[in-house]
Amino acid sequence: MTPEPDPLADAPGEMNPLETMMWRAEVDPRLRSIVVIVDVLDAEPDWDRLVAAHEWATRVVPRLRQRVMEPWGWGPPTWVPDPDFALSFHLRRMRLAEGGGLRELLDQAALCAMTPFDRSRPAWEALLVEGLDGGRAGYLVKVHHSLADGLGLVQILSLLHSSSREPSADKADPPPPGSTPPSRLGLTAWQAGRALVAAPPAVVGGLRTGVTALGRAALAPVTTLTDGWAAVWSAARAALPPTLTGSPAFRGRSLNRRFEALDVDLATLKAAGRAAGGSLNDAYLAGLVGGIRRYHLALGLPAPDRIPVGMPVNTRDPSDPMGGNHWAGTRFAVPLDDVDAATRIGQVRDIVRAVTSARVVDALGLVAPVLAALPAPLLARVQGAATSANDLQASNVPGMTRPTYLAGARIVRSYPFAPLPGAPAMIALTSHEDTCCIAATLDPAAITDPALFRECLVAGFEEVLGLAGTG
């Protein structure tokens, strides 16, 4: 008898625990995990070429034609083919009122971020915004974080890019991926059956691990206990919320978002970090911290001694498939009371190294399987309590290093606006040619004067950049 085909053979994929947490925590709308990339183009791209590029990309990356299916009470959410996929729903165009500039483009992008996805369709959208001043255009890509992290999104978007304005030479035209999803009942049965088949080896493996651990403890109880405590302590230092409350100035929370963007010279920021014995990332964080300190003072408020900060650390391996999420969450407290930029870079360097060099960095990864199995409302409560404890979330993602074009238009800036899961500010940096594009996702209920906040960030970076000539 011929076995029935695997209902998941058309390349669906189960979410890992971290992705499951991001997807299911959205029962609380404040925890929506929406990423918006804002590209500024030097000209309006050719629409037909843009459509063709997206059509081709959705064939190369089947995940772009897949939606999320939830099993009945068993197993993780799973990406399955969307039989109703329509590119025209996911790729659209609009025109700004005459004279629109970057501010209007960012406002449109923030509106996109505040609009939830249709969870019955693939979790991405793209919008061409025409009519920017000077003949420019904007290109917005909105993606659910469970589909890809920052580096994964850079990989996927690279499929739309070319190295010249002219159309690329003929390239392979892959056929559309399969479009027949399993039924929800079939998915549930498949996951349950697979779990039952896998259970005996897992149990045996667990018993073997336990016997090995018991034997090691019997032979060297002090060493075993010390090693175990060291692992637990390093995990706690890396990922547990700092034992301090956030700034009283940032107490408000809302569903609204405000986007602010600024540019910093890449070579100068690197030189500033080196001058103080740190890295580009150390100088970047020092600039953010300096800006937050200045913001408190500008509001007439005392700056806290320290603020809690969250930062993802890349764990992606070159062999990992395109897209997906491969990162570890870290949390630490950063001093806010030192006004010297060089000292601040040194402090940030020591704190970040202590956290990221810990024996167990990915404590979130250790507990994610447990958290992902919680009922969605309880998961949202736990996850929201952790992320909202931070005054700042910051990330740094390598971007494009050479001139890049989209359907005949050159991408002159690319700003990565990351999700804001309960914190006052999520600020992300991506390198674009010789510029650091810094994108601040703000909750205006917490950052009540976003324009002033941006000015303070600019001043904080100017202080750091002033070190570039001292090394």
Side-chain angles (χ1 to χ4, degrees), residues 158-174:
S158 68
L159 299 174
L160 302 173
H161 300 155
S162 63
S163 58
S164 66
R165 291 190 190 273
E166 292 70 33
S168 302
D170 292 341
K171 53 188 177 183
D173 189 16

Side-chain angles (χ1 to χ4, degrees), residues 37-286:
I37 306 296
V38 177
D39 287 346
V40 180
L41 313 177
D42 70 347
E44 295 184 357
D46 180 273
W47 176 250
D48 290 338
R49 281 179 61 184
L50 191 65
V51 172
H54 283 77
E55 172 67 26
W56 183 83
T58 65
R59 296 185 180 206
V60 174
V61 184
R63 181 58 43 84
L64 298 178
R65 289 179 177 243
Q66 294 174 346
R67 61 183 177 86
V68 176
M69 177 178 287
E70 286 274 11
W72 274 316
W74 185 288
T78 300
W79 299 94
V80 301
D82 178 13
D84 300 317
F85 176 77
L87 183 61
S88 59
F89 174 85
H90 295 275
L91 175 62
R92 308 175 195 178
R93 65 198 298 192
M94 64 164 289
R95 180 168 290 274
L96 288 178
E98 185 175 352
L102 180 61
R103 179 68 266 158
E104 288 74 21
L105 180 63
L106 295 180
D107 289 343
Q108 180 63 46
L111 180 61
C112 290
M114 290 186 284
T115 306
F117 279 107
D118 180 345
R119 291 167 76 94
S120 64
R121 294 180 180 269
W124 70 273
E125 298 171 9
L127 177 67
L128 174 63
V129 181
E130 300 169 313
L132 264 68
D133 53 13
R136 301 177 303 162
Y139 172 72
L140 313 181
V141 181
K142 172 183 172 182
V143 176
H144 197 280
H145 204 331
S146 61
L147 190 150
D149 58 21
L151 285 174
L153 190 52
V154 168
Q155 293 174 338
I156 292 173
L157 289 178
S158 68
L159 299 174
L160 302 173
H161 300 155
S162 63
S163 58
S164 66
R165 291 190 190 273
E166 292 70 33
S168 302
D170 292 341
K171 53 188 177 183
D173 189 16
S179 60
T180 303
S183 67
R184 191 177 180 190
L185 177 60
L187 173 64
T188 304
W190 184 87
Q191 290 184 341
R194 185 194 56 185
L196 290 174
V197 169
V203 171
V204 172
L207 290 174
R208 287 175 177 169
T209 300
V211 169
T212 301
L214 288 172
R216 187 169 64 247
L219 292 173
V222 175
T223 302
T224 302
L225 180 60
T226 302
D227 286 350
W229 173 247
V232 172
W233 175 241
S234 62
R237 286 191 304 161
L240 294 180
T243 56
L244 75 157
T245 58
S247 168
F250 295 156
R251 289 288 170 80
R253 296 292 187 274
S254 72
L255 295 176
N256 298 322
R257 298 292 179 262
R258 168 82 173 190
F259 284 179
E260 295 288 349
L262 59 145
D263 301 335
V264 173
D265 185 77
L266 174 60
T268 308
L269 189 60
K270 285 183 176 179
R274 288 195 300 269
S279 65
L280 179 143
N281 191 65
D282 298 330
Y284 166 56
L285 291 176

Side-chain angles (χ1 to χ4, degrees), residues 247-251 291-304 444-456:
S247 168
F250 295 156
R251 289 288 170 80
I292 291 175
R293 180 181 185 278
R294 288 173 178 269
Y295 180 70
H296 279 81
L297 299 179
L299 292 178
L301 301 172
I447 311 293
T448 55
D449 193 336
L452 175 62
F453 187 80
R454 183 187 182 281
E455 291 178 9
C456 292

